[in-house]
Amino acid sequence: MTAFNDDCTLTLDLLAAWPAKPIAAVRKQLRPGVPLILVAEGSSQLMPGAFLRSCARTWNWTTQVDALGGRAFAALPSGQRAVIAISNSGRSREVVEAMSRFPADATALVGIPGGNLTKLPHHILLPRPEVAVPATASVFGTCLALGHALADACGQPVPVADLLAATKQQLAAPEITAVGNVKRVFWLGGHAGATAELALKTMEMTGLAGFDMPGSLGLHGIHEVLAPGDLVVALDIHADDIGELRRRVEVQCGSRLHAPTLPNLGVWSPLIALVHGWRVLATVAAALGRDPAKPARATKLGNPALG
């Protein structure tokens, strides 16, 4: 799992070198009264879009924030809007094609240099490319960049030191031993996209079905389909609901519940939940005899060949 672990620790390098001021190419697109659309695919869209909307709700930023794939964006009628294109490789076809038809004032967040999107005003997030196919540090960094820019617009602090300490703690924690040998994984809690991103990572890293259950949805009927061999991971469930959730998951269904106690960093907490989820999935993958860096079929533009 060396390649996957190296990509996870790349998050620490990002945080250690994170600038005090927001990334200019991102900050300039956040203007009161001008709707913002993030144009991205896959992991570059799932959590970054939901995380930015979560920040906007928390900080009372009332200007529209949305996230769309390249083709959906290209189908929109013309109108005034700010646009940030996001692609780890800078070469995602749908995003590149959409940007070729959009005015030049769009900007781009990319993971690595050299892609077509770097023809736009852009920022390169990663000090080195991710090696594993499943995106990890690039998702974390994209969320951080977007959140930092909106925090600046709203006069809110960015707890970089606390994020660094909490991320170090999660990556250095003992191996999570009670989550292996499962058949399906259900991710519960929150509205900031961590559960959606981890459901996708479940499929990429473990070859198992992953399910996104945001907010309190995990308390509304999923025990009808749970069975022995299912793992339910509660990342952001109210303390008053844990007892009932455990009764349904473990007692009624014979499934396993993993409900970690994670640092509370307010609106930034989903980033720490994301890192914890990586650790859970690495353990599940190992129990299945899989290398989490090397899916059997999934690929990613821009990642180096894996030996």
Side-chain angles (χ1 to χ4, degrees), residues 27 30 55-56 58-62 147-157:
R27 177 64 180 88
L30 285 159
C55 292
T58 302
W59 298 329
N60 200 31
W61 177 264
T62 57
H148 189 174
L150 187 59
D152 184 74
C154 297
Q156 297 291 328

Side-chain angles (χ1 to χ4, degrees), residues 239-253:
D240 291 348
D241 293 329
I242 290 293
E244 175 61 16
L245 182 63
R246 191 174 301 280
R247 184 186 71 81
R248 295 182 186 184
V249 171
E250 297 184 340
V251 178
Q252 279 191 309
C253 302

Side-chain angles (χ1 to χ4, degrees), residues 186 188 213 217-226 232 245 248-249 253:
F186 293 77
L188 275 57
M213 299 285 161
L217 191 59
L219 289 161
H220 295 275
I222 68 164
H223 53 301
E224 191 66 25
V225 301
L226 290 177
V232 177
L245 182 63
R248 295 182 186 184
V249 171
C253 302

Side-chain angles (χ1 to χ4, degrees), residues 27-201:
R27 177 64 180 88
K28 76 174 189 177
Q29 298 293 353
L30 285 159
R31 305 188 295 275
V34 180
L36 170 66
I37 298 183
L38 310 177
V39 183
E41 303 287 334
S43 285
S44 294
Q45 179 196 127
L46 271 178
M47 186 170 177
F51 180 75
L52 188 59
R53 288 191 293 271
S54 175
C55 292
R57 288 191 298 269
T58 302
W59 298 329
N60 200 31
W61 177 264
T62 57
T63 300
Q64 179 185 352
V65 174
D66 209 344
L68 294 173
R71 292 191 177 115
F73 172 76
L76 292 177
S78 60
Q80 184 186 27
R81 56 178 67 94
V83 174
I84 301 173
I86 306 171
S87 168
N88 183 50
S89 67
R91 297 190 282 124
S92 299
R93 182 184 63 186
E94 299 89 346
V95 179
V96 171
E97 290 176 355
M99 291 303 98
S100 70
R101 297 191 290 272
F102 192 79
D105 58 351
T107 58
L109 267 178
V110 299
I112 56 179
N116 292 30
L117 291 179
T118 58
K119 296 174 183 177
L120 298 170
H122 65 278
H123 179 82
I124 297 170
L125 279 169
L126 302 180
R128 61 169 176 80
E130 292 171 315
V131 177
V133 170
T136 49
S138 59
V139 176
F140 189 107
T142 299
C143 292
L144 182 58
L146 294 169
H148 189 174
L150 187 59
D152 184 74
C154 297
Q156 297 291 328
V158 182
V160 174
D162 292 339
L163 283 167
L164 177 58
T167 302
K168 281 183 178 178
Q169 180 190 50
Q170 290 302 312
L171 293 178
E175 181 180 355
I176 302 165
T177 57
V179 298
N181 296 311
V182 301
K183 297 178 181 178
R184 301 183 296 181
V185 185
F186 293 77
W187 298 92
L188 275 57
H191 293 280
T195 52
E197 169 61 16
L198 289 165
L200 176 60
K201 286 293 167 288

